[in-house]
Amino acid sequence: MSICIGCAGHPSEAGALKRAGFDYLEVNISQLVAACDSDVTIMQRQLCESGLPVLAGNCFLPGDWPLGGAGFDEEKNRAYIEKAAARLQALGASIAVLGSGGARRLQKEYGENRGKEQFRLFFAMASAIMGEKGIRVVIEPLNHNESNYILSVPEAMAIAQAVDSPFGGVLCDYYHMGQEGESPAVLPAVKSRLWHCHIAHPVTRQAPLPGDGGGYEGFTKALSQCGYEGGVTFEGNRPASEETLAQSALYMKTLFQGVPYAAN
């Protein structure tokens, strides 16, 4: 498996994203769990008609889910994860991204250490349940504007190593790394559990394009040093123009796959 380039979106957009040149779709897990069975059937049909596979799902939990503070409920968590796993499997996904900055936000009045332990327990449970269906769970480091917990790749890696599940790993997001001033040079140290990546311009969160000043070469070099093989998903502010989105898809393939870039 080499690096493949995907885009975050809804199955209803799969046809357009396939035409733009993306290799796969990354869906929203919380939307998938909330959908009724008939809507999931429609999603499956849309994906089949488009020919675009689903590799991953993000937005694991709704923002108000009690993960880092009061209200943590093990049985409620289990039921949610089981439903998410079944639906991700139905769409063909093999990666579940655990970001959910609002849900995992630590509350000082509740006890930050208690919140951290709850996150660890949730991650361990998710890795075990998802793993039964062949789905890996990756912790997504965010930035200080979106959460107050797990803001670096090494911090995510420490949790993954502590849980030590064969289905628990980490993700790197180039935008969040840029917001936190984190260098891609940290990636080779986590290569054993680096199973998925996100990308967007590190300042604007726009789709990467030639000459936009995003400095992507350092990111591509670090992934190459890791021997990384997996998905790199554009997750960010999507351009209004389908032509611009297609140019971005081609540029990302130039960066990560060596495809010659020739703008229309």
Side-chain angles (χ1 to χ4, degrees):
M1 179 183 180
S2 59
I3 292 179
C4 46
I5 304 301
C7 187
H10 190 273
S12 62
E13 303 171 303
L17 295 175
K18 175 75 171 180
R19 291 191 297 273
F22 289 100
D23 299 320
Y24 68 87
L25 178 69
E26 183 164 327
V27 297
N28 182 305
I29 297 173
S30 60
Q31 290 180 357
L32 187 60
V33 172
C36 62
D37 290 342
S38 60
D39 284 342
V40 176
T41 300
I42 292 172
M43 293 178 195
Q44 290 175 302
R45 185 177 71 244
Q46 291 167 332
L47 292 166
C48 183
E49 291 173 349
S50 73
L52 189 68
V54 170
L55 175 67
N58 58 34
C59 298
F60 202 117
L61 293 167
D64 60 354
W65 194 271
L67 181 56
F72 186 82
D73 187 323
E74 183 175 342
E75 291 309 309
K76 183 180 177 181
N77 291 338
R78 182 180 300 278
Y80 183 96
I81 296 167
E82 288 175 346
K83 187 174 184 179
R87 290 192 163 178
L88 284 172
Q89 183 185 47
L91 297 190
S94 58
I95 294 286
V97 177
L98 180 54
S100 307
R104 80 185 192 209
R105 181 175 291 275
L106 302 176
Q107 302 170 7
K108 289 185 178 181
E109 64 277 11
Y110 179 73
E112 293 186 355
N113 287 337
R114 290 174 69 188
K116 291 177 180 179
E117 176 62 11
Q118 289 174 184
F119 180 89
R120 189 195 66 80
L121 290 171
F122 185 93
F123 173 62
M125 179 185 287
S127 299
I129 294 172
M130 293 279 182
E132 292 175 357
K133 298 186 180 299
I135 300 170
R136 289 171 158 183
V137 181
V138 292
I139 301 171
E140 178 180 21
L142 299 172
N143 70 74
H144 64 278
N145 294 313
E146 298 185 25
S147 191
N148 63 357
Y149 182 43
I150 313 175
L151 307 183
S152 73
V153 175
E155 188 178 5
M157 184 62 167
I159 298 168
Q161 288 177 320
V163 170
D164 197 24
S165 165
F167 293 96
V170 301
L171 170 153
C172 66
D173 184 308
Y174 187 63
Y175 166 74
H176 292 308
M177 295 177 75
Q179 291 292 295
E180 290 300 304
E182 184 173 32
S183 169
V186 305
L187 299 181
V190 304
K191 65 181 182 180
S192 63
R193 290 184 184 268
L194 180 60
W195 296 338
H196 196 56
C197 300
H198 286 168
I199 190 170
H201 189 284
V203 177
T204 66
R205 213 172 194 172
Q206 300 293 327
L209 288 167
D212 69 3
Y216 308 106
E217 294 78 8
F219 189 40
T220 60
K221 180 180 178 181
L223 291 183
S224 178
Q225 290 172 341
C226 293
Y228 179 75
E229 295 184 342
V232 176
T233 301
F234 163 56
E235 184 195 34
N237 302 317
R238 198 183 299 177
S241 164
E242 289 188 9
E243 180 181 357
T244 303
L245 184 62
Q247 290 174 355
S248 178
L250 179 56
Y251 179 54
M252 287 186 279
K253 289 191 170 188
T254 300
L255 289 170
F256 296 101
Q257 298 174 353
V259 175
Y261 181 82
N264 294 331

Coordinates of all heavy atoms in Angstrom, one line a residue, residues 142-229:
L142 N -5.0 17.8 18.6 CA -5.6 19.0 18.1 C -4.8 20.3 18.4 O -3.6 20.2 18.6 CB -7.0 19.1 18.7 CG -8.0 17.9 18.3 CD1 -9.3 18.0 19.1 CD2 -8.2 17.8 16.8
N143 N -5.4 21.4 18.4 CA -4.7 22.6 18.8 C -5.4 23.3 19.9 O -6.6 23.0 20.2 CB -4.5 23.6 17.6 CG -5.7 24.2 17.1 OD1 -6.3 25.1 17.7 ND2 -6.3 23.8 15.9
H144 N -4.8 24.3 20.5 CA -5.3 24.9 21.7 C -6.6 25.7 21.5 O -7.3 26.0 22.5 CB -4.2 25.8 22.3 CG -3.9 27.0 21.5 ND1 -3.0 26.9 20.4 CD2 -4.4 28.3 21.5 CE1 -2.9 28.1 19.8 NE2 -3.7 29.0 20.4
N145 N -6.9 26.0 20.3 CA -8.2 26.6 20.0 C -9.4 25.7 20.0 O -10.5 26.1 20.1 CB -8.2 27.4 18.7 CG -7.2 28.5 18.7 OD1 -7.2 29.3 19.6 ND2 -6.3 28.6 17.7
E146 N -9.1 24.4 19.9 CA -10.1 23.4 19.8 C -10.3 22.4 20.9 O -11.3 21.7 21.1 CB -9.9 22.6 18.5 CG -10.0 23.4 17.2 CD -9.9 22.7 15.9 OE1 -10.3 21.5 15.9 OE2 -9.5 23.3 14.9
S147 N -9.2 22.4 21.8 CA -9.3 21.5 23.0 C -8.2 21.9 23.9 O -7.3 22.8 23.5 CB -9.1 20.0 22.6 OG -9.4 19.2 23.7
N148 N -8.2 21.4 25.1 CA -7.1 21.7 26.1 C -6.4 20.4 26.4 O -5.6 20.4 27.4 CB -7.6 22.4 27.3 CG -8.6 21.5 28.1 OD1 -9.0 20.4 27.7 ND2 -9.1 22.0 29.2
Y149 N -6.5 19.3 25.7 CA -5.9 18.1 26.0 C -5.5 17.4 24.7 O -6.2 17.3 23.7 CB -6.9 17.2 26.7 CG -6.4 15.8 27.2 CD1 -5.1 15.7 27.7 CD2 -7.2 14.7 27.1 CE1 -4.6 14.5 28.1 CE2 -6.7 13.5 27.5 CZ -5.4 13.3 28.0 OH -5.0 12.1 28.4
I150 N -4.3 16.8 24.7 CA -3.6 16.1 23.6 C -3.4 17.1 22.4 O -4.1 17.1 21.5 CB -4.4 14.9 23.1 CG1 -4.8 14.0 24.3 CG2 -3.5 14.1 22.2 CD1 -5.6 12.8 24.0
L151 N -2.4 17.9 22.6 CA -2.1 19.0 21.6 C -0.8 18.7 20.8 O -0.3 19.6 20.1 CB -2.0 20.3 22.3 CG -3.2 20.7 23.1 CD1 -3.0 22.1 23.7 CD2 -4.5 20.6 22.3
S152 N -0.2 17.5 21.0 CA 1.0 17.2 20.2 C 1.0 15.7 19.9 O 0.3 14.9 20.6 CB 2.2 17.5 21.1 OG 2.4 16.6 22.1
V153 N 1.7 15.3 18.9 CA 1.8 13.9 18.4 C 2.5 13.1 19.5 O 2.0 12.0 19.8 CB 2.6 13.8 17.1 CG1 2.8 12.4 16.7 CG2 1.8 14.6 16.0
P154 N 3.6 13.5 20.2 CA 4.1 12.6 21.2 C 3.2 12.4 22.4 O 3.2 11.3 23.0 CB 5.4 13.4 21.7 CG 5.8 14.2 20.5 CD 4.5 14.6 19.8
E155 N 2.3 13.4 22.7 CA 1.4 13.2 23.8 C 0.4 12.1 23.4 O 0.0 11.3 24.2 CB 0.6 14.5 24.1 CG -0.3 14.5 25.3 CD -0.9 15.8 25.6 OE1 -0.7 16.8 24.8 OE2 -1.6 16.0 26.6
A156 N -0.1 12.1 22.1 CA -1.0 11.1 21.7 C -0.3 9.7 21.7 O -0.9 8.7 22.1 CB -1.5 11.4 20.3
M157 N 0.9 9.7 21.3 CA 1.7 8.5 21.2 C 1.8 7.8 22.6 O 1.8 6.6 22.8 CB 3.0 8.7 20.6 CG 3.9 7.4 20.4 SD 3.1 6.2 19.3 CE 4.5 5.1 19.0
A158 N 2.1 8.7 23.6 CA 2.2 8.2 25.0 C 1.0 7.4 25.4 O 1.1 6.4 26.1 CB 2.6 9.3 25.9
I159 N -0.2 8.0 25.1 CA -1.4 7.3 25.5 C -1.6 6.0 24.7 O -2.0 4.9 25.3 CB -2.6 8.2 25.2 CG1 -2.5 9.5 26.0 CG2 -3.9 7.5 25.5 CD1 -3.5 10.6 25.7
A160 N -1.3 6.0 23.4 CA -1.4 4.8 22.6 C -0.5 3.7 23.1 O -0.9 2.5 23.2 CB -1.1 5.1 21.1
Q161 N 0.7 4.1 23.5 CA 1.7 3.1 24.0 C 1.2 2.6 25.3 O 1.4 1.4 25.6 CB 3.1 3.7 24.1 CG 3.7 4.0 22.7 CD 5.1 4.7 22.9 OE1 5.2 5.6 23.7 NE2 6.0 4.2 22.0
A162 N 0.6 3.4 26.2 CA 0.2 3.0 27.5 C -1.0 2.0 27.4 O -1.0 1.0 28.1 CB -0.3 4.2 28.3
V163 N -1.9 2.2 26.5 CA -3.0 1.3 26.2 C -2.5 0.0 25.6 O -2.9 -1.1 25.8 CB -4.1 2.0 25.4 CG1 -5.1 1.0 25.0 CG2 -4.7 3.1 26.2
D164 N -1.6 0.2 24.6 CA -0.9 -0.9 23.9 C -1.8 -1.9 23.3 O -1.7 -3.1 23.4 CB 0.0 -1.6 24.9 CG 1.1 -2.5 24.2 OD1 1.4 -2.2 23.1 OD2 1.5 -3.5 24.9
S165 N -2.8 -1.4 22.5 CA -3.7 -2.2 21.8 C -3.1 -2.3 20.3 O -2.6 -1.4 19.8 CB -5.1 -1.6 21.7 OG -5.8 -2.2 20.7
P166 N -3.2 -3.5 19.7 CA -2.8 -3.7 18.3 C -3.7 -2.9 17.4 O -3.3 -2.7 16.2 CB -2.9 -5.2 18.1 CG -3.9 -5.6 19.1 CD -3.7 -4.8 20.3
F167 N -4.8 -2.3 17.9 CA -5.7 -1.5 17.0 C -5.7 -0.1 17.5 O -6.6 0.7 17.1 CB -7.1 -2.1 17.0 CG -7.1 -3.5 16.3 CD1 -7.0 -4.6 17.1 CD2 -7.2 -3.5 14.9 CE1 -7.0 -5.9 16.4 CE2 -7.2 -4.8 14.3 CZ -7.1 -5.9 15.0
G168 N -4.8 0.4 18.3 CA -4.8 1.7 18.8 C -3.5 2.5 18.4 O -2.4 2.0 18.7
G169 N -3.7 3.6 17.7 CA -2.5 4.3 17.2 C -2.7 5.8 17.2 O -3.5 6.3 18.0
V170 N -2.0 6.5 16.4 CA -2.0 8.0 16.4 C -2.2 8.5 14.9 O -1.9 7.8 13.9 CB -0.8 8.6 17.0 CG1 -0.6 8.2 18.4 CG2 0.5 8.3 16.2
L171 N -2.6 9.7 14.9 CA -2.8 10.5 13.6 C -1.9 11.7 13.7 O -1.7 12.2 14.8 CB -4.2 10.8 13.4 CG -4.6 11.8 12.3 CD1 -6.1 11.5 11.9 CD2 -4.6 13.3 12.8
C172 N -1.4 12.2 12.6 CA -0.8 13.6 12.6 C -1.7 14.4 11.7 O -2.0 14.0 10.6 CB 0.6 13.6 12.2 SG 1.0 13.0 10.5
D173 N -1.9 15.6 12.1 CA -2.7 16.6 11.3 C -1.8 17.8 11.1 O -1.5 18.5 12.0 CB -4.0 17.0 12.0 CG -4.9 17.9 11.2 OD1 -4.4 19.0 10.8 OD2 -6.1 17.6 11.1
Y174 N -1.5 18.1 9.8 CA -0.5 19.1 9.5 C -1.0 20.5 9.9 O -0.2 21.3 10.3 CB -0.2 19.1 8.0 CG 0.9 20.0 7.6 CD1 2.2 19.9 8.1 CD2 0.7 21.1 6.7 CE1 3.2 20.7 7.7 CE2 1.7 21.9 6.3 CZ 3.0 21.8 6.8 OH 4.0 22.6 6.5
Y175 N -2.3 20.7 9.8 CA -2.9 22.0 10.2 C -2.7 22.2 11.7 O -2.2 23.2 12.2 CB -4.4 22.1 9.8 CG -5.1 23.3 10.5 CD1 -4.8 24.6 10.1 CD2 -5.9 23.0 11.6 CE1 -5.5 25.6 10.8 CE2 -6.6 24.1 12.2 CZ -6.3 25.4 11.8 OH -6.9 26.4 12.5
H176 N -3.1 21.2 12.5 CA -3.0 21.3 14.0 C -1.5 21.5 14.4 O -1.2 22.2 15.3 CB -3.7 20.1 14.7 CG -5.1 20.1 14.5 ND1 -6.0 21.1 14.8 CD2 -6.0 19.1 14.1 CE1 -7.2 20.8 14.6 NE2 -7.2 19.5 14.1
M177 N -0.7 20.7 13.7 CA 0.8 20.8 14.1 C 1.3 22.3 13.8 O 2.0 22.8 14.6 CB 1.6 19.8 13.2 CG 1.3 18.4 13.6 SD 2.2 17.2 12.5 CE 3.8 17.3 13.2
G178 N 0.8 22.8 12.7 CA 1.2 24.2 12.4 C 0.7 25.2 13.4 O 1.4 26.1 13.8
Q179 N -0.6 25.0 13.9 CA -1.1 25.9 14.9 C -0.4 25.8 16.2 O -0.3 26.8 16.9 CB -2.6 25.6 15.1 CG -3.5 25.9 13.9 CD -3.6 27.4 13.7 OE1 -4.1 28.1 14.5 NE2 -3.1 27.8 12.5
E180 N 0.2 24.7 16.5 CA 0.9 24.5 17.7 C 2.4 24.7 17.6 O 3.2 24.5 18.6 CB 0.6 23.1 18.3 CG -0.8 22.9 18.8 CD -1.1 23.9 19.9 OE1 -0.4 23.9 20.9 OE2 -2.1 24.6 19.8
G181 N 2.9 25.0 16.4 CA 4.3 25.1 16.1 C 5.1 23.8 16.3 O 6.3 23.8 16.6
E182 N 4.4 22.7 16.0 CA 5.0 21.4 16.1 C 5.7 21.0 14.8 O 5.1 21.0 13.8 CB 4.0 20.4 16.5 CG 4.6 19.0 16.8 CD 3.6 18.0 17.4 OE1 2.4 18.1 17.0 OE2 4.0 17.1 18.1
S183 N 7.0 20.6 14.8 CA 7.7 20.3 13.6 C 7.4 18.9 13.2 O 7.2 17.9 14.0 CB 9.2 20.3 13.9 OG 9.9 19.8 12.9
P184 N 7.3 18.6 11.9 CA 7.1 17.3 11.4 C 8.3 16.3 11.7 O 8.1 15.1 11.6 CB 7.0 17.5 9.8 CG 6.6 18.9 9.7 CD 7.2 19.6 10.8
A185 N 9.4 16.9 12.2 CA 10.5 16.1 12.6 C 10.2 15.1 13.8 O 10.9 14.2 14.0 CB 11.7 17.0 13.0
V186 N 9.0 15.4 14.5 CA 8.6 14.5 15.5 C 8.1 13.1 15.0 O 8.0 12.2 15.8 CB 7.6 15.1 16.5 CG1 8.1 16.5 17.0 CG2 6.2 15.3 15.8
L187 N 7.7 13.1 13.7 CA 7.0 11.9 13.2 C 7.8 10.6 13.2 O 7.2 9.6 13.5 CB 6.4 12.3 11.9 CG 5.4 13.4 11.8 CD1 4.9 13.7 10.4 CD2 4.3 13.2 12.8
P188 N 9.0 10.6 12.8 CA 9.7 9.3 12.7 C 9.7 8.6 14.1 O 9.7 7.3 14.1 CB 11.2 9.7 12.3 CG 10.9 10.9 11.4 CD 9.8 11.7 12.1
A189 N 9.7 9.3 15.2 CA 9.7 8.7 16.5 C 8.4 7.9 16.8 O 8.4 7.1 17.7 CB 10.0 9.7 17.6
V190 N 7.3 8.2 16.1 CA 6.0 7.6 16.3 C 5.6 6.7 15.1 O 4.5 6.2 15.1 CB 4.9 8.6 16.6 CG1 5.3 9.5 17.8 CG2 4.6 9.4 15.4
K191 N 6.5 6.4 14.2 CA 6.2 5.7 13.0 C 5.5 4.3 13.2 O 4.7 3.9 12.4 CB 7.4 5.6 12.1 CG 8.5 4.7 12.6 CD 9.7 4.7 11.6 CE 10.8 3.8 12.1 NZ 11.9 3.7 11.1
S192 N 5.8 3.7 14.3 CA 5.3 2.4 14.6 C 3.8 2.4 14.7 O 3.1 1.4 14.5 CB 5.9 1.7 15.8 OG 5.6 2.5 17.0
R193 N 3.2 3.5 15.1 CA 1.8 3.6 15.4 C 1.1 4.8 14.6 O 0.0 5.2 14.8 CB 1.4 3.8 16.8 CG 1.7 2.5 17.7 CD 1.2 2.6 19.1 NE 1.6 1.5 19.9 CZ 0.8 0.4 20.1 NH1 -0.4 0.4 19.6 NH2 1.2 -0.6 20.9
L194 N 1.9 5.3 13.6 CA 1.3 6.4 12.8 C 0.6 5.8 11.6 O 1.2 5.4 10.7 CB 2.5 7.3 12.3 CG 2.1 8.5 11.4 CD1 1.1 9.5 12.2 CD2 3.3 9.3 10.9
W195 N -0.8 5.8 11.8 CA -1.6 5.0 10.8 C -2.5 5.9 10.0 O -3.2 5.4 9.1 CB -2.4 4.0 11.6 CG -1.6 3.0 12.3 CD1 -0.3 2.6 12.1 CD2 -2.0 2.3 13.5 NE1 0.1 1.6 13.0 CE2 -0.9 1.4 13.9 CE3 -3.2 2.2 14.3 CZ2 -1.0 0.5 14.9 CZ3 -3.3 1.3 15.3 CH2 -2.2 0.5 15.7
H196 N -2.5 7.2 10.2 CA -3.4 8.0 9.4 C -2.9 9.5 9.5 O -2.3 9.9 10.5 CB -4.8 7.9 9.8 CG -5.8 8.4 8.8 ND1 -5.9 8.0 7.5 CD2 -6.8 9.4 9.0 CE1 -6.9 8.6 6.9 NE2 -7.4 9.5 7.7
C197 N -3.2 10.3 8.4 CA -2.8 11.7 8.4 C -3.9 12.6 7.9 O -4.7 12.2 7.1 CB -1.5 11.9 7.6 SG -0.1 11.0 8.0
H198 N -3.9 13.8 8.4 CA -4.7 14.9 7.8 C -3.8 16.0 7.3 O -2.7 16.2 7.8 CB -5.7 15.5 8.9 CG -6.8 14.6 9.3 ND1 -7.6 14.8 10.4 CD2 -7.3 13.5 8.7 CE1 -8.6 13.9 10.4 NE2 -8.4 13.0 9.4
I199 N -4.3 16.8 6.4 CA -3.6 17.9 5.8 C -4.5 19.0 5.5 O -5.6 18.8 5.1 CB -2.7 17.5 4.6 CG1 -1.7 18.6 4.2 CG2 -3.7 17.1 3.4 CD1 -0.7 18.1 3.1
A200 N -4.0 20.2 5.7 CA -4.6 21.5 5.2 C -3.5 22.5 5.4 O -2.5 22.3 6.1 CB -5.8 21.9 6.0
H201 N -3.7 23.7 4.8 CA -2.7 24.8 5.0 C -2.6 25.1 6.5 O -3.6 25.2 7.2 CB -3.2 26.0 4.3 CG -2.2 27.1 4.2 ND1 -1.9 27.9 5.3 CD2 -1.3 27.6 3.2 CE1 -0.9 28.8 5.0 NE2 -0.6 28.6 3.7
P202 N -1.3 25.2 7.0 CA -1.1 25.2 8.5 C -1.6 26.5 9.1 O -1.7 26.6 10.3 CB 0.4 25.1 8.6 CG 0.9 25.6 7.3 CD -0.1 25.1 6.3
V203 N -2.0 27.5 8.3 CA -2.5 28.8 8.9 C -3.9 29.0 8.5 O -4.8 29.3 9.4 CB -1.6 30.0 8.4 CG1 -2.2 31.3 8.9 CG2 -0.2 29.8 8.8
T204 N -4.3 28.9 7.3 CA -5.6 29.2 6.8 C -6.6 28.0 6.8 O -7.8 28.2 6.7 CB -5.5 29.7 5.3 OG1 -5.1 28.6 4.5 CG2 -4.6 30.9 5.2
R205 N -6.1 26.8 6.9 CA -6.8 25.6 6.8 C -7.5 25.4 5.4 O -8.5 24.6 5.3 CB -7.9 25.5 7.9 CG -8.1 24.0 8.4 CD -9.0 24.0 9.6 NE -8.9 22.6 10.2 CZ -9.5 22.3 11.4 NH1 -10.2 23.2 12.1 NH2 -9.4 21.1 11.8
Q206 N -6.9 26.0 4.4 CA -7.4 25.9 3.1 C -6.8 24.6 2.5 O -5.9 24.1 3.0 CB -7.1 27.1 2.2 CG -7.6 28.4 2.8 CD -9.1 28.5 2.6 OE1 -9.7 27.9 1.7 NE2 -9.8 29.2 3.6
A207 N -7.4 24.2 1.3 CA -6.9 23.1 0.6 C -5.5 23.5 0.0 O -5.3 24.6 -0.5 CB -7.8 22.8 -0.6
P208 N -4.5 22.6 0.2 CA -3.2 22.8 -0.3 C -3.1 23.1 -1.8 O -3.8 22.4 -2.6 CB -2.4 21.6 0.0 CG -3.2 21.0 1.2 CD -4.6 21.3 0.9
L209 N -2.4 24.1 -2.2 CA -2.2 24.5 -3.6 C -0.7 25.0 -3.8 O -0.1 25.4 -2.9 CB -3.1 25.6 -4.0 CG -4.6 25.2 -4.2 CD1 -5.5 26.5 -4.3 CD2 -4.8 24.3 -5.4
P210 N -0.2 24.8 -5.0 CA 1.1 25.3 -5.3 C 1.3 26.8 -5.0 O 0.4 27.6 -5.3 CB 1.3 25.0 -6.8 CG 0.3 24.0 -7.1 CD -0.9 24.2 -6.2
G211 N 2.4 27.1 -4.3 CA 2.7 28.5 -4.1 C 1.9 29.2 -3.0 O 1.9 30.4 -2.8
D212 N 1.2 28.3 -2.1 CA 0.4 28.9 -1.1 C 1.2 29.2 0.2 O 0.6 29.6 1.2 CB -0.9 28.1 -0.8 CG -0.6 26.7 -0.2 OD1 0.6 26.5 0.1 OD2 -1.5 26.0 0.0
G213 N 2.5 28.8 0.2 CA 3.3 29.1 1.4 C 3.1 28.1 2.5 O 3.5 28.4 3.7
G214 N 2.5 26.9 2.2 CA 2.2 26.0 3.3 C 3.4 25.2 3.8 O 3.3 24.5 4.8
G215 N 4.5 25.2 3.1 CA 5.7 24.5 3.5 C 5.5 23.0 3.6 O 6.0 22.4 4.6
Y216 N 4.8 22.4 2.7 CA 4.5 21.0 2.8 C 5.6 20.0 2.7 O 5.6 18.9 3.0 CB 3.4 20.6 1.8 CG 2.2 21.6 1.8 CD1 2.0 22.5 0.8 CD2 1.3 21.5 2.9 CE1 0.9 23.4 0.9 CE2 0.2 22.4 2.9 CZ 0.0 23.3 1.9 OH -1.0 24.2 2.0
E217 N 6.7 20.5 2.1 CA 7.9 19.7 1.8 C 8.4 19.0 3.1 O 8.8 17.9 3.0 CB 9.0 20.5 1.1 CG 8.6 21.0 -0.3 CD 7.7 22.2 -0.3 OE1 7.5 22.8 0.8 OE2 7.2 22.6 -1.4
G218 N 8.4 19.8 4.2 CA 8.9 19.2 5.4 C 8.0 18.0 5.9 O 8.5 17.0 6.5
F219 N 6.7 18.1 5.6 CA 5.8 17.1 6.0 C 6.0 15.9 5.2 O 6.0 14.7 5.7 CB 4.4 17.7 5.8 CG 3.3 16.8 6.4 CD1 3.4 16.1 7.6 CD2 2.1 16.7 5.7 CE1 2.4 15.3 8.1 CE2 1.0 15.9 6.2 CZ 1.2 15.2 7.4
T220 N 6.1 16.1 3.9 CA 6.3 14.9 3.0 C 7.6 14.2 3.3 O 7.7 13.0 3.2 CB 6.3 15.4 1.5 OG1 7.3 16.3 1.2 CG2 4.9 16.0 1.1
K221 N 8.7 15.0 3.6 CA 10.0 14.4 3.9 C 9.9 13.6 5.2 O 10.4 12.4 5.2 CB 11.0 15.5 4.1 CG 12.4 15.0 4.4 CD 13.4 16.2 4.6 CE 14.8 15.6 5.0 NZ 15.7 16.7 5.2
A222 N 9.2 14.1 6.2 CA 9.1 13.3 7.4 C 8.3 12.0 7.2 O 8.7 11.0 7.7 CB 8.4 14.2 8.5
L223 N 7.2 12.1 6.4 CA 6.5 10.8 6.2 C 7.3 9.9 5.4 O 7.2 8.6 5.6 CB 5.2 11.2 5.4 CG 4.1 11.9 6.2 CD1 2.8 12.1 5.4 CD2 3.8 11.2 7.5
S224 N 8.1 10.4 4.5 CA 9.0 9.5 3.7 C 10.0 8.8 4.6 O 10.3 7.6 4.5 CB 9.7 10.3 2.6 OG 10.6 9.5 1.9
Q225 N 10.5 9.6 5.6 CA 11.5 9.0 6.5 C 10.8 7.9 7.4 O 11.5 7.0 7.9 CB 12.0 10.1 7.4 CG 13.0 11.1 6.7 CD 13.4 12.3 7.5 OE1 12.7 12.6 8.5 NE2 14.5 12.9 7.2
C226 N 9.5 8.1 7.6 CA 8.8 7.1 8.4 C 8.5 5.8 7.6 O 8.1 4.8 8.2 CB 7.4 7.7 8.9 SG 7.5 9.0 10.1
G227 N 8.6 5.9 6.3 CA 8.2 4.8 5.4 C 6.7 4.7 5.5 O 6.1 3.6 5.4
Y228 N 6.0 5.8 5.6 CA 4.6 5.9 5.8 C 3.8 5.4 4.6 O 4.1 5.8 3.5 CB 4.1 7.3 6.2 CG 2.6 7.4 6.3 CD1 2.0 6.9 7.5 CD2 1.8 8.0 5.4 CE1 0.6 7.0 7.7 CE2 0.4 8.1 5.5 CZ -0.2 7.6 6.7 OH -1.5 7.7 6.9
E229 N 2.9 4.5 4.8 CA 1.9 4.0 3.8 C 0.5 4.1 4.4 O 0.2 3.4 5.4 CB 2.3 2.6 3.4 CG 3.6 2.5 2.7 CD 3.9 1.1 2.2 OE1 3.2 0.1 2.6 OE2 4.8 0.9 1.3

